[in-house]
Amino acid sequence: MDPSEDVMRRMLMAAPDALLAVKGDGEIVFANTYAELLFGWTNDELVGEKVELLVPGAAFDDYVAHRAGFVADPRTRPFGAGMQLSARRKDGDTFPAEISLNDVSDDLGERVVLAAVRDISDRIELEADRQRRELLAQQERSGRFESLGQLAGGIAHDFNNVLGVILNYATLLGRRITDPMDAADLQEIHSAAERARELTRKLTSFASRDVTDPQPLEVNSVVRQTMSTLEETFDESIEIELDLAPDTLMTVADRQQLEQIIVNLAVNARDALPDGGCLTITTAPLRSLPPHGDGGQLHTDVVLRVVDDGIGMPPEVLRRAFEPFFSTKPRGQGAGLGLASVHGIVLQNDGSVTIDSTAEEGTTVTVVLPGIEDVAPVVDPRAFEKVPDG
Ligand SMILES: Nc1ncnc2c1ncn2[C@@H]1O[C@H](COP(=O)(O)OP(=O)(O)OP(=O)(O)O)[C@@H](O)[C@H]1O
Ligand SMILES: [Mg+2]
């Protein structure tokens, strides 16, 4: 049974979205109850008026152009998809709106469009709120990392001096010792002090206390060189694959720091592959359009990815992975500073680092470093518009 016209009308009236039927010339021929509520005009006031009544002045031209486009090609679709639309109430207030259009032209060829309008202030507010909270959490985290870094850096520096003394005297003593048992014990002292020194090195670099020497670097060649040294220390069961972009990828950074990023990530991947597996390092350009007025140059950043198909991280580990001194490795094996250092170095270089990881499937760490501006300017299409005659 087809619902009668009257039932259809009452259904539209009761719909929980603002519905307006608009003729091709913009005249409103129908408005439901929700439209009255949303816009503050009564049904009588709306019907017969031009729909432009509900469009804020600033958006007017856009709106008219869009409507002409729709009338010329009346398919069901969201209106102005991707645009920030707004609508105006009777009291002059504007609100962000989502509008979708349906062609409901009648059999006689009179063009009628049904517009469903939704106030999306809440949604926008929620999204803004979420972004604010994320930013705050990020700032808090960075602040915490920084003060931890300062503390760690200070301790590491003093500690390193003490270790220097221990190592010195151990070396001096080693020259006088003749008993092999004593020599073996002394060797233990020596190597423990060396391990401690390695730890302080990690601490200082996490605290970014190292003196840096930023210079233009070709990322692919740094990856190749670092990995060829590191490869020898990895077990054969780990297959290392380099999938490097054919492009020349340049960034400005301290060479040792870039090497350290690669080593820390590769070593983590190795540790995640106790039974062997695949470690892949990829590089790629990340081209972004220039911000307005930037002379039409494309900007190229550098993406460096370290991927393993190892043990991966459960969510509670992933959440804390960048935290300084957070480690799931047995005592004495992990200082929990590898990713914290990578994080510190990358931020120092105005880059970003993110981790994707799934337990038992593997991990991808993505580092983006600012590239050196592409030299070739993009052809500006406006240059072709005003070709002078003759
Ligand atoms: N590729 C990876 N796969 C699985 N887990 C990882 C991976 N990389 C890091 N993790 C997890 O994140 C933790 C922190 O890593 P991070 O490199 O900061 O410290 P660490 O490796 O434990 O110690 P350090 O690097 O100082 O020797 C690790 O203990 C591990 O649990
Ligand atoms: Mg590590």
Side-chain angles (χ1 to χ4, degrees):
M1 181 195 78
D2 274 350
S4 71
E5 198 175 308
D6 187 48
V7 169
M8 287 296 285
R9 199 180 167 78
R10 276 188 285 146
M11 275 164 66
L12 288 178
M13 262 334 239
D17 269 323
L19 296 178
L20 298 160
V22 181
K23 289 208 294 193
D25 64 358
E27 187 192 331
I28 300 173
V29 290
F30 170 85
N32 72 349
T33 313
Y34 204 89
E36 292 186 300
L37 277 173
L38 184 62
F39 290 104
W41 301 93
T42 66
N43 195 295
D44 286 348
E45 286 171 321
L46 284 173
V47 173
E49 269 295 334
K50 282 284 173 84
V51 72
E52 283 80 345
L53 180 70
L54 310 176
V55 179
F60 204 84
D61 291 348
D62 267 359
Y63 171 78
V64 173
H66 255 78
R67 199 184 64 213
F70 185 85
V71 170
D73 176 21
R75 281 173 295 119
T76 299
R77 60 188 145 172
F79 180 70
M83 278 171 54
Q84 279 276 9
L85 294 173
S86 58
R88 183 171 58 183
R89 298 185 224 276
K90 186 177 186 179
D91 58 14
D93 257 11
T94 58
F95 60 89
E98 182 181 76
I99 303 175
S100 58
L101 301 181
N102 266 281
D103 180 38
V104 290
S105 299
D106 65 19
D107 301 340
L108 302 173
E110 171 82 272
R111 183 123 288 165
V112 180
V113 171
L114 185 68
V117 185
R118 196 170 281 180
D119 180 349
I120 54 168
S121 310
D122 284 355
R123 205 195 296 165
I124 288 185
E125 186 56 39
L126 271 177
E127 174 60 14
D129 202 49
R130 195 191 58 75
Q131 283 179 3
R132 259 196 308 274
R133 264 180 295 142
E134 194 160 295
L135 190 69
L136 267 178
Q138 220 172 51
Q139 283 169 345
E140 197 180 304
R141 198 165 55 213
S142 299
R144 231 172 345 120
F145 284 11
E146 200 172 314
S147 41
L148 256 175
Q150 279 167 0
L151 181 71
I155 295 174
H157 182 258
D158 293 350
F159 202 67
N160 210 29
N161 291 342
V162 179
L163 284 172
V165 178
I166 294 176
L167 281 164
N168 255 335
Y169 277 97
T171 309
L172 289 178
L173 197 59
R175 291 187 194 141
R176 298 203 300 271
I177 280 181
T178 46
D179 181 70
M181 290 270 277
D182 290 348
D185 288 352
L186 190 66
Q187 184 51 42
E188 288 298 320
I189 294 175
H190 208 281
S191 49
E194 285 289 2
R195 279 204 305 278
R197 188 173 246 188
E198 173 61 18
L199 186 59
T200 58
R201 197 191 53 73
K202 282 188 185 174
L203 274 170
T204 40
S205 76
F206 152 62
S208 299
R209 285 286 187 102
D210 292 342
V211 182
T212 62
D213 173 24
Q215 51 180 301
L217 297 173
E218 212 284 290
V219 176
N220 285 340
S221 76
V222 179
V223 171
R224 260 190 224 104
Q225 283 169 27
T226 311
M227 287 312 291
S228 75
T229 326
L230 205 58
E231 200 164 6
E232 291 166 18
T233 70
F234 282 14
D235 193 273
E236 277 172 16
S237 63
I238 296 176
E239 192 185 319
I240 298 177
E241 194 175 311
L242 302 188
D243 184 6
L244 308 181
D247 318 53
T248 307
L249 302 174
M250 302 293 295
T251 189
V252 174
D254 178 273
R255 190 185 172 96
Q256 275 191 350
Q257 284 195 334
L258 181 57
E259 288 172 355
Q260 208 196 331
I261 291 177
I262 300 163
V263 170
N264 288 5
L265 296 180
V267 167
N268 278 352
R270 177 204 63 189
D271 293 347
L273 295 165
D275 304 321
C278 213
L279 188 180
T280 311
I281 301 191
T282 69
T283 59
L286 179 70
R287 301 220 158 83
S288 52
L289 284 171
H292 282 302
D294 199 21
Q297 282 190 348
L298 266 183
H299 191 83
T300 306
D301 288 330
V302 181
V303 182
L304 170 73
R305 277 209 176 88
V306 180
V307 186
D308 68 69
D309 56 1
I311 56 173
M313 293 179 237
E316 64 276 12
V317 172
L318 180 58
R319 239 191 331 269
R320 300 187 59 189
F322 285 122
E323 212 173 280
F325 309 112
F326 173 79
S327 176
T328 57
K329 292 169 191 170
R331 263 195 103 139
Q333 275 188 32
L337 286 171
L339 286 174
S341 306
V342 170
H343 185 263
I345 294 170
V346 169
L347 287 200
Q348 205 183 341
N349 285 282
D350 295 321
S352 67
V353 51
T354 48
I355 309 178
D356 276 312
S357 187
T358 310
E360 275 150 57
E361 283 184 17
T363 301
T364 299
V365 183
T366 305
V367 172
V368 180
L369 293 170
I372 300 177
E373 216 88 1
D374 256 2
V375 205
V378 176
V379 176
D380 183 353
R382 278 168 301 183
F384 294 108
E385 280 171 15
K386 293 185 194 126
V387 182
D389 304 322

